[in-house]
């Protein structure tokens, strides 16, 4: 596996962790546990995700996140609590993917992984703020369900087709930027016109 494939996988996993950290950990561990995801030797550090205790805690977190993410405003509270957790988790996952014999690459992966997770988390949280402003709760459940399916599907594609992982990471990055811009515009319209009017 070349450096571009490794960077692509690390980028994809980090960005997806910004949406669903626990699901990323559990799905990766489960895939390795059942032999659906045979990892190359340099990704051996990810073996820890197949540990039963790690999988149990990740499954518990994924279940709690699945339920909390479907409830209007509770999802935003959950996102706020995980503002530090997701970037750190994404950074650690990216760190586990790069070659441990290259300390410089590990530091870069840790920093970029954390940044990517934070950006994805911010895009998700911002978009959810916009959805929560909608009066009907169906949108919230639909958006959350799409995130669940997309996370598992894109994670599978990134691991199964490393040559395409870079494209997946790039597409995710574009989506995250679009979500941030959309959230900023909508929230600006909602709250921008509420200031004082007329001369000071």
């Amino acid at each position: 596996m070349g450096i571009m494939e490794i960077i692509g996988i690390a980028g994809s996993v980090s960005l997806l962790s910004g949406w669903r950290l626990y699901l990323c950990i559990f799905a990766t561990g489960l895939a390795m546990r059942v032999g659906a995801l045979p990892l190359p030797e340099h990704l051996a550090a990810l073996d820890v995700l197949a540990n039963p205790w790690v999988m149990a805690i990740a499954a518990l977190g994924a279940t709690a996140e699945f339920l909390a993410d479907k409830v209007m405003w509770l999802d935003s509270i959950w996102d706020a609590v995980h503002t530090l957790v997701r970037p750190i988790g994404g950074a650690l996952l990216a760190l586990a993917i790069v070659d441990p014999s290259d300390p410089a690459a590990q530091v870069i992966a840790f920093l970029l992984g954390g940044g990517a997770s934070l950006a994805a988390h911010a895009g998700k949280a911002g978009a959810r703020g916009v959805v929560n402003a909608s009066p009907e709760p169906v949108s919230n459940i639909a958006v959350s369900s799409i995130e669940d399916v997309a996370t598992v599907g894109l994670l599978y594609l990134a691991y199964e087709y490393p040559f395409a992982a870079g494209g997946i990471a790039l597409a995710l990055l574009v989506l995250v930027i679009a979500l941030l811009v959309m959230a900023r515009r909508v929230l600006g319209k909602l709250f921008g016109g509420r200031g004082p009017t007329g001369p000071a």
Side-chain angles (χ1 to χ4, degrees), residues 22-63:
Y22 303 113
L23 185 57
C24 284
I25 293 171
F26 177 74
T28 302
L30 181 63
M32 289 188 295
R33 195 84 179 165
V34 300
L37 183 60
L39 294 176
E41 187 177 334
H42 68 274
L43 295 183
L46 288 176
D47 281 344
V48 69
L49 302 185
N51 180 288
W53 284 103
V54 173
M55 288 182 62
I57 292 171
L60 185 63
T63 302

Side-chain angles (χ1 to χ4, degrees), residues 16-111:
L16 290 170
S17 295
W19 286 354
R20 295 284 191 272
L21 173 62
Y22 303 113
L23 185 57
C24 284
I25 293 171
F26 177 74
T28 302
L30 181 63
M32 289 188 295
R33 195 84 179 165
V34 300
L37 183 60
L39 294 176
E41 187 177 334
H42 68 274
L43 295 183
L46 288 176
D47 281 344
V48 69
L49 302 185
N51 180 288
W53 284 103
V54 173
M55 288 182 62
I57 292 171
L60 185 63
T63 302
E65 186 165 61
F66 177 84
L67 297 174
D69 212 52
K70 304 293 184 291
V71 180
M72 186 180 292
W73 298 115
L74 181 58
D75 61 342
S76 292
I77 295 171
W78 183 271
D79 284 340
V81 170
H82 286 79
T83 298
L84 289 177
V85 177
R86 287 175 182 156
I88 292 172
L92 291 173
L93 283 173
L95 185 64
I97 290 170
V98 300
D99 187 351
S101 67
D102 188 347
Q106 286 200 308
V107 171
I108 292 170
F110 185 82
L111 294 175

Side-chain angles (χ1 to χ4, degrees), residues 1-2 4-6 8-9 40 156-167:
M1 190 182 298
M4 293 310 296
E5 286 88 350
I6 294 171
I9 291 174
Y156 168 80
L157 288 176
Y159 282 131
E160 185 70 16
Y161 305 103
F163 60 88

Side-chain angles (χ1 to χ4, degrees), residues 8 12 15-16 153-155 157-159 161 164-173:
S12 297
L15 286 161
L16 290 170
L154 292 173
L155 189 64
L157 288 176
Y159 282 131
Y161 305 103
I168 294 169
L170 185 60
L172 285 169
L173 185 59

